[in-house]
Amino acid sequence: MVTLGKEDERLLRRAIEVSRRSRENGNHPFGALLADENGRVLLEAENSVVTTGDATGHAETNLIRMASTTLSDEVIARATMYVSGESCAMCSGAIYWGGINRLVYAMAESDLLALTGNHPENPTMTLDCRVVLGSGQRQIEVIGPALVEESVAVHEGFWT
C-alpha cells in the first residue's frame, strides 16, 4: 500500500465518498473525481450501471465522458483522476484515450475480487491497470493502492 501526501489523501477520500453516494443511489459502490493541479475538484462521477442499464457506466467512464465534453484537453492533461477502486481494463483504456496523465486509486482489483468473488454483476478481471496504461505511447503516473480499508468499508455487505 502507498503512503499519500495530504492533498492526494483528501481527494481520494472524497472519491470514496462519491462511491458511498453511488451505493446510496442504487448503483455499484464506485466513485471517481477529477481535480486540477491545485486540488480543486472539477468533476465527480458515480457508477451508473444499475440505474441506467449501461454496462459501461463505470464511474471512470462516466467521468471521462463529462470531462471530454466540458473541459479542454490541456486541463484534462494537467488533472488527476481519483478513484475508489483500481480502474478495470475498460476504464484504464478510457483514461488513456481520455488524456488523463495521473491516476490515484484506493483498493486494488485483487481487493475487489476478494469482496465480490464470482458475483455475476462484477466479473472482476485480474489485470492490473498499470499493465493497460503502460501499454500506451505516453506515460501515465499511477499511484495506489491507498486507503484500502476505507474503500473496502463502502462495499461491506453489498456483494452478498
Side-chain angles (χ1 to χ4, degrees):
M1 193 159 48
V2 177
T3 302
L4 300 176
K6 288 194 183 293
E7 192 65 5
D8 281 338
E9 188 175 302
R10 176 184 73 83
L11 291 162
L12 188 55
R13 279 202 169 97
R14 185 159 168 179
I16 293 168
E17 283 306 310
V18 174
S19 75
R20 182 174 275 104
R21 197 168 66 225
S22 180
R23 181 177 178 167
E24 291 167 358
N25 289 328
N27 285 294
H28 300 147
F30 299 101
L33 67 82
L34 195 65
D36 70 13
E37 63 271 24
N38 298 312
R40 183 174 60 99
V41 175
L42 303 170
L43 298 166
E44 293 181 344
E46 300 174 19
N47 178 289
S48 62
V49 169
V50 176
T51 55
T52 64
D54 178 358
T56 67
H58 292 194
E60 296 96 324
T61 57
N62 290 337
L63 185 68
I64 290 167
R65 284 184 195 109
M66 287 189 292
S68 65
T69 59
T70 61
L71 302 173
S72 71
D73 292 346
E74 295 78 24
V75 168
I76 293 170
R78 291 190 311 268
T80 298
M81 182 182 283
Y82 295 86
V83 295
S84 62
E86 182 178 357
S87 300
C88 70
M90 175 184 69
C91 292
S92 295
I95 288 166
Y96 177 77
W97 281 295
I100 304 291
N101 288 311
R102 187 168 186 263
L103 173 67
V104 179
Y105 70 89
M107 75 170 146
E109 278 286 281
S110 58
D111 298 313
L112 181 61
L113 182 58
L115 290 169
T116 64
N118 65 350
H119 196 286
E121 289 184 33
N122 196 44
T124 305
M125 294 179 155
T126 57
L127 183 60
D128 189 303
C129 71
R130 286 176 175 89
V131 173
V132 176
L133 294 171
S135 298
Q137 295 179 0
R138 62 184 171 80
Q139 186 173 359
I140 298 172
E141 180 182 8
V142 179
I143 300 169
L147 306 179
V148 174
E149 296 80 16
E150 293 176 41
S151 186
V152 166
V154 179
H155 290 256
E156 288 177 0
F158 185 86
W159 302 103
T160 55

